[in-house]
Amino acid sequence: MDVSDLLIETYDRLPDLVRAAVDGLTPEQLRWAPGEGANSVGWLVWHLTRVQDHHVADLLDAEQIWTSGDWAGRFGLVADPHDTGYGHTPTQVAGVRPESAQALIDYYGAVSTRTRSFLAGLRPADLDRIVDESWDPPVSLGVRLVSIADDDTQHAGQAAYVRGLLEAR
């Protein structure tokens, strides 16, 4: 298995996790949080999608999908390319208001399609390219891609857990 196939295998697992976390939930259920200051299913899936969109767009030196259409409007937000959810206050978390589960599925699908296309063209030597010199040590493309997959997988698991809490109430 080459590096491109390995990364595609990793990232191709995420759409099913996203769908399983949100499919069938109402907008109110997507916004439900298990406690004060906790994240909702909708926020968690929005955030993991924003992180992937933001980081992959940066790697491609391209516009984010978030800002290229009316995605933000479907979440009750403005299309701020810097807002990925990092550091959100409880008020900001509550402000992420997906219109439907399908809005989350569609946005993740668009981001995932672009990510998959990017991964399909990678060669092993590409992974050593430095993509962020603001860290010590500098971050390579390979490390960034693992970081994105790790972050997205963790948040998809958190969304599934919160969904389980919601369904158990």
Side-chain angles (χ1 to χ4, degrees), residues 71-93:
W71 294 107
R74 294 181 72 184
F75 293 84
L77 299 168
V78 297
D80 179 351
H82 304 290
D83 183 9
T84 63
Y86 282 122
H88 266 191
T89 66
T91 300
Q92 289 171 305
V93 169

Side-chain angles (χ1 to χ4, degrees), residues 19 29 33 37 43 46 48 51 57 82 87 98 103 116 135 139 160:
R19 181 176 296 279
Q29 290 171 317
W43 185 88
W46 169 82
L48 73 85
V51 168
H82 304 290
R116 193 177 205 285
W135 294 90
V139 177

Side-chain angles (χ1 to χ4, degrees), residues 9 22 47 57 60 63 70 75 77 81 103 106 113 120 133 158 160 164 168:
E9 176 65 28
V22 303
H47 170 64
L60 292 167
E63 182 179 8
D70 187 34
F75 293 84
L77 299 168
D106 291 348
T113 297
E133 294 187 6
Q158 291 167 358

Side-chain angles (χ1 to χ4, degrees), residues 23-24 30 44 70-71 75 84 93 98 107 111 114 136-137 139 156:
D23 200 28
L30 290 168
L44 287 160
D70 187 34
W71 294 107
F75 293 84
T84 63
V93 169
Y107 178 42
V111 170
R114 182 181 60 189
D136 186 16
V139 177

Side-chain angles (χ1 to χ4, degrees), residues 4-108:
S4 176
D5 292 338
L6 178 66
L7 288 166
I8 288 171
E9 176 65 28
T10 300
Y11 279 82
D12 274 358
R13 294 171 185 226
L14 291 164
D16 289 339
L17 297 175
V18 164
R19 181 176 296 279
V22 303
D23 200 28
L25 295 181
T26 67
E28 294 76 24
Q29 290 171 317
L30 290 168
R31 293 189 297 268
W32 178 83
E36 188 174 326
N39 297 324
S40 65
V41 171
W43 185 88
L44 287 160
V45 172
W46 169 82
H47 170 64
L48 73 85
T49 308
R50 286 293 300 123
V51 168
Q52 187 176 144
D53 187 11
H54 176 275
H55 288 10
V56 173
D58 186 54
L59 296 172
L60 292 167
D61 195 25
E63 182 179 8
Q64 294 175 34
I65 290 170
W66 181 249
T67 60
S68 66
D70 187 34
W71 294 107
R74 294 181 72 184
F75 293 84
L77 299 168
V78 297
D80 179 351
H82 304 290
D83 183 9
T84 63
Y86 282 122
H88 266 191
T89 66
T91 300
Q92 289 171 305
V93 169
V96 176
R97 303 177 61 81
E99 67 185 18
S100 65
Q102 195 61 50
L104 289 157
I105 292 167
D106 291 348
Y107 178 42
Y108 188 80

